[in-house]
Amino acid sequence: MTGLLVLHGGGEFLPGDEPVLRAILEGAPIRGPIRGPIRGVVIPTAAARGRPDLAAAHGVDALERIARATGMAAAFASVPILDAESAADATLAASIARADVIYLPGGDPDLIPAILPGSPALAAMLEAWHGGAVLAGASAGAMALAGSCWTPSGLVAGLGVVPGLVVVPHADAASWARNVTRFGPHVPTDLGILGLGERTALIGRPGETWRVVGAGEVRWQAPGATRPVIARHGASIHLDGGG
């Protein structure tokens, strides 16, 4: 069975993000009669221009800390997919394919759409996800998982894991109208706009009902709609017209 998707609004791994991290770990597949150690990877592609080692280390530390606190056995590792060469590396791709949890933290939104399409690394991610692994993206990672992704040079094709929408991270009541005014006219009419608050995630599968986890809000403005549906922790939402 295809695994869960996690679209996170940013502020990942920081204090207050614990409910999302627990939900990710709880969604990892159980392979066999009992849950074995969770194998996870953090892939800091979007942080390649900054400190990808630090971004990945924060993720590894946070996920393993929450696993220990909830009594789960877990081992996470950084997989440095930072350019076309590393995205083509067979050894790195094999480590992704074996994972139960794959996490793409934030950074620059143009990097994942430029580096991963057509690569062995992306093929391994999709193989693992279709085999039951959790596939999570935060901020720029969530933006890239969508069908279309905002970048400094405009709207580009995303990875298409969640088709039919664009993701607006760091979304809240104060910024929503400004972002819709700024970006909305450039969004094709057949795409929805998904706003995700910080330390907040939408968890589910395309075509099914999603649930909100975390401290902030989720805003879903379906194609053609003029106002968003707003959902908070514990609520269910269906991305009609989107993923």
Side-chain angles (χ1 to χ4, degrees):
M1 181 180 183
T2 299
L4 290 173
L5 290 172
V6 180
L7 303 176
H8 190 290
E12 66 272 23
F13 313 137
L14 296 177
D17 198 39
E18 291 85 357
V20 177
L21 298 177
R22 283 196 296 271
I24 289 171
L25 293 166
E26 290 167 355
I30 299 175
R31 305 185 191 278
I34 60 172
R35 184 189 294 279
I38 297 169
R39 303 164 298 182
V41 295
V42 179
I43 305 174
T45 307
R49 294 192 185 102
R51 286 293 306 277
D53 55 338
L54 193 59
H58 284 161
V60 169
D61 291 346
L63 286 155
E64 289 187 344
R65 173 174 49 82
I66 296 302
R68 289 192 299 270
T70 53
M72 298 182 188
F76 278 77
S78 169
V79 179
I81 305 297
L82 306 177
D83 51 25
E85 182 179 2
S86 52
D89 187 284
T91 300
L92 295 179
S95 67
I96 297 170
R98 293 190 296 267
D100 299 314
V101 174
I102 299 166
Y103 202 116
L104 297 166
D108 294 320
D110 61 314
L111 287 175
I112 293 175
I115 292 171
L116 290 185
S119 70
L122 178 58
M125 288 182 208
L126 297 178
E127 176 187 344
W129 175 53
H130 286 299
V134 178
L135 178 55
S139 190
M143 295 169 74
L145 291 175
S148 297
C149 177
W150 283 111
T151 74
S153 59
L155 199 65
V156 302
L159 301 181
V161 179
V162 190
L165 55 82
V166 295
V167 169
V168 178
H170 312 286
D172 56 23
S175 66
W176 181 254
R178 181 175 67 252
N179 282 328
V180 170
T181 299
R182 179 183 178 188
F183 297 117
H186 305 287
V187 176
T189 57
D190 60 343
L191 294 182
I193 304 173
L194 178 64
L196 301 168
E198 291 194 354
R199 299 171 182 83
T200 307
L202 200 59
I203 301 178
R205 295 179 177 88
E208 299 182 7
T209 299
W210 299 67
R211 63 189 173 100
V212 180
V213 177
E217 298 175 333
V218 168
R219 287 170 165 77
W220 168 237
Q221 191 157 315
T226 57
R227 294 178 180 272
V229 173
I230 300 174
R232 298 173 178 84
H233 180 78
S236 297
I237 186 169
H238 192 84
L239 303 182
D240 295 309

